[in-house]
Amino acid sequence: MNASNIFLFLIGLFSMTQVRIVGAIGLSEIPIFLCAPFLFLADFNSLRRQGFMPLLSLILLTCLGCIVSSLHNHTYYVNAIKGFATPYSMFAVTVVLNHLLKDNLDGMKWLLVGSAFTLILNIFILPMDAEVQAFAEGATGFAAGKIIAESSTIFWISRIRPLITLPIAAWYTKTPLWYSIGALMAFVAFALISSSSGRSTALWCVLAVTLIIICRKSRASMVAMKRHVILAFVCVVVMASVFSAIYKYGAQQYWFGEVAYEKYRRQSKSGSGALRLLMSGRAETFIGFFACLDKPVLGHGPWAIDTKDYIENFLRDYGDYEDYQNLVHTRVYWGSLGYSVVKVIPGHSHIVTFWLWYGIFGLLLWLYVLWLIYKFFTRYVDVIPQWFGYFAVTISASLWGIFFSPYSQRILFPLLFCALIYVRNVANRKMNLPPEMLREASEY
């Protein structure tokens, strides 16, 4: 293993072992943050030739948007610093990963190996800040056993998922097709049966399985999907609809337990249509979206306080009457005791949070990422067949996250950015595959 692969492995391995410096930061991010500006200057011409500058320019403009929005909205300086760290991490990690990968495309799998084990490692060494708060009430020096004993099924789903998908993402052409399909479907069953909150995990697994079934390991099938991307999209929609129907029926029949039934009942009180269920299950995303429409250019700044009652207004107009009344009663109760209920405007979505916090540049950044994903499926899906499993799994999960989950994968998302640009460069002959990858690709 060469030095580049060792660095990639270590970056992945220590990406989720966190320390607190103003905000939580992974151990591997500290040297990345420090050396990124120097590598950016050293690799500037290479980054420009490879087509990274539109992405990096949007990221840097998002950083600027954070500064402007924070000043305009009088954001608390600690929140402004933590908010700035998020887009800066995108810039820094993208620059450093490109430096390590541009002449070593086959080394990507070592970053994936390290990333698969980081969430196991951080149970025992420097766990994520959110888990400290959740399982140890913010105390320091807590025992790993406390986290293991008190953690939820979602905690374990997040640990198991990277290990299950590792052979698919890192060694797709060498991994039996039955494993790629069977392991993901088994994980779907596990996520649904073991947790009432496993639907999003199950959904992206179903999407990944659909892509794998369509393309298998055949370059010809990948080309066919590229040429008939609308038909492939219809297949994905059909599979998602079938999954949704099965889940609705199963939840009503207690297949997934009483907690899942109660959750489905609450979310379907105002209607069982797909949009109604989505608005009920991901209300934070829609609340943040409506707040974005109120300040679409400058945004509200990181962790903005809900001074205009976006939460209350959304529940009044789109939520269940009982939920709205509960919110009003809670605020009246705490007000009668002399307390004010301070609520942060939620986002719970990559694209909504970036737009909400950083203004228009945050929105444009994620629209550009979505465009890269679109171009991959319409033009470059067959370029590196060894990476198809990685793209099937990662893009399926990422699309859900972009629209409906908080941004947290500060190492793995920039890796996706790099991979999307690399396949385009290989297709356009701006980069060459290593000889062993080229030989392997020719077999498919």
Side-chain angles (χ1 to χ4, degrees):
M1 183 185 296
N2 60 38
S4 177
N5 290 339
I6 293 173
F7 283 128
L8 289 166
F9 173 76
L10 293 175
I11 287 172
L13 186 63
F14 291 102
S15 58
M16 288 298 187
T17 50
Q18 294 183 340
V19 294
R20 175 163 283 277
I21 304 175
V22 182
I25 183 172
L27 282 181
S28 61
E29 289 181 279
I30 298 173
I32 288 174
F33 278 29
L34 295 175
C35 69
F38 303 101
L39 290 179
F40 175 70
L41 294 176
D43 293 343
F44 181 81
N45 289 331
S46 173
L47 289 166
R48 186 176 58 184
R49 285 195 303 271
Q50 294 174 43
F52 274 88
M53 291 314 297
L55 173 67
L56 293 176
S57 297
L58 283 171
I59 295 174
L60 291 175
L61 286 171
T62 301
C63 291
L64 177 63
C66 178
I67 296 172
V68 173
S69 184
S70 297
L71 291 173
H72 176 76
N73 294 288
H74 307 289
T75 302
Y76 179 49
Y77 76 95
V78 172
N79 289 342
I81 293 172
K82 291 193 294 183
F84 181 86
T86 298
Y88 177 73
S89 74
M90 276 185 165
F91 167 81
V93 175
T94 301
V95 168
V96 172
L97 290 186
N98 173 68
H99 184 79
L100 296 170
L101 286 170
K102 58 187 172 66
D103 298 317
N104 181 34
L105 295 184
D106 198 35
M108 186 173 77
K109 61 175 175 282
W110 296 111
L111 178 62
L112 297 176
V113 171
S115 299
F117 288 96
T118 185
L119 291 174
I120 301 297
L121 179 67
N122 82 343
I123 296 175
F124 307 98
I125 303 173
L126 299 174
M128 288 183 289
D129 187 68
E131 292 170 356
V132 175
Q133 300 298 326
F135 300 116
E137 295 81 41
T140 59
F142 58 90
K146 182 174 178 64
I147 286 185
I148 296 172
E150 298 184 11
S151 56
S152 67
T153 306
I154 290 296
F155 175 94
W156 286 112
I157 286 176
S158 70
R159 264 67 185 173
I160 296 170
R161 184 186 71 184
L163 298 175
I164 288 177
T165 58
L166 179 61
I168 304 169
W171 291 280
Y172 180 66
T173 53
K174 294 180 173 64
T175 300
L177 194 61
W178 63 263
Y179 177 88
S180 300
I181 298 172
L184 289 175
M185 291 309 297
F187 194 58
V188 168
F190 171 74
L192 289 177
I193 294 172
S194 62
S195 171
S196 62
S197 301
R199 289 175 302 169
S200 59
T201 298
L203 177 60
W204 73 252
C205 284
V206 169
L207 298 182
V209 166
T210 305
L211 292 173
I212 291 172
I213 290 174
I214 291 173
C215 293
R216 303 181 302 281
K217 297 182 184 181
S218 166
R219 216 167 188 175
S221 298
M222 296 175 194
V223 171
M225 188 184 78
K226 179 174 67 175
R227 292 174 178 170
H228 304 286
V229 69
I230 295 177
L231 180 59
F233 176 75
V234 170
C235 291
V236 168
V237 171
V238 169
M239 287 291 288
S241 301
V242 170
F243 166 79
S244 177
I246 292 173
Y247 175 80
K248 289 179 185 178
Y249 181 79
Q252 293 171 332
Q253 300 300 316
Y254 291 86
W255 288 1
F256 312 125
E258 188 165 348
V259 175
Y261 168 78
E262 286 298 324
K263 185 171 184 177
Y264 175 78
R265 186 188 63 81
R266 288 196 311 271
Q267 293 178 353
S268 60
K269 282 188 295 185
S270 56
S272 58
L275 182 58
R276 274 292 177 182
L277 287 174
L278 193 59
M279 293 181 75
S280 179
R282 285 295 184 270
E284 298 96 335
T285 300
F286 289 93
I287 293 168
F289 173 71
F290 288 124
C292 290
L293 295 180
D294 202 25
K295 284 188 175 181
V297 177
L298 292 179
H300 294 260
W303 288 280
I305 304 301
D306 184 8
T307 59
K308 294 188 177 180
D309 293 327
Y310 294 112
I311 299 172
E312 185 174 337
N313 292 337
F314 178 85
L315 290 178
R316 182 193 63 211
D317 296 338
Y318 302 100
D320 178 77
Y321 178 76
E322 181 183 346
D323 295 333
Y324 175 71
Q325 288 296 103
N326 288 339
L327 175 67
V328 173
H329 291 158
T330 299
R331 291 188 172 180
V332 170
Y333 171 74
W334 286 109
S336 67
L337 298 178
Y339 297 100
S340 61
V341 180
V342 176
K343 291 287 187 180
V344 173
I345 303 174
H348 211 73
S349 157
H350 300 8
I351 192 169
V352 170
T353 299
F354 272 59
W355 190 11
L356 181 72
W357 288 8
Y358 312 125
I360 192 65
F361 292 123
L363 171 64
L364 293 176
L365 170 61
W366 285 107
L367 290 178
Y368 181 74
V369 172
L370 290 172
W371 182 83
L372 287 176
I373 292 173
Y374 167 77
K375 296 299 287 186
F376 167 76
F377 281 113
T378 56
R379 295 189 63 179
Y380 309 121
V381 67
D382 61 310
V383 172
I384 307 179
Q386 298 96 318
W387 287 5
F388 180 79
Y390 163 77
F391 283 120
V393 169
T394 305
I395 290 178
S396 297
S398 298
L399 285 175
W400 178 264
I402 288 172
F403 291 104
F404 300 114
S405 290
Y407 182 78
S408 60
Q409 300 288 347
R410 301 206 308 201
I411 297 293
L412 294 182
F413 245 111
L415 175 64
L416 176 61
F417 301 161
C418 292
L420 289 169
I421 292 174
Y422 289 155
V423 293
R424 182 183 67 190
N425 290 343
V426 171
N428 295 332
R429 302 183 185 278
K430 291 183 179 180
M431 297 180 71
N432 295 317
L433 287 177
E436 59 276 12
M437 289 186 69
L438 190 60
R439 284 194 300 270
E440 186 180 9
S442 66
E443 298 175 2
Y444 295 90

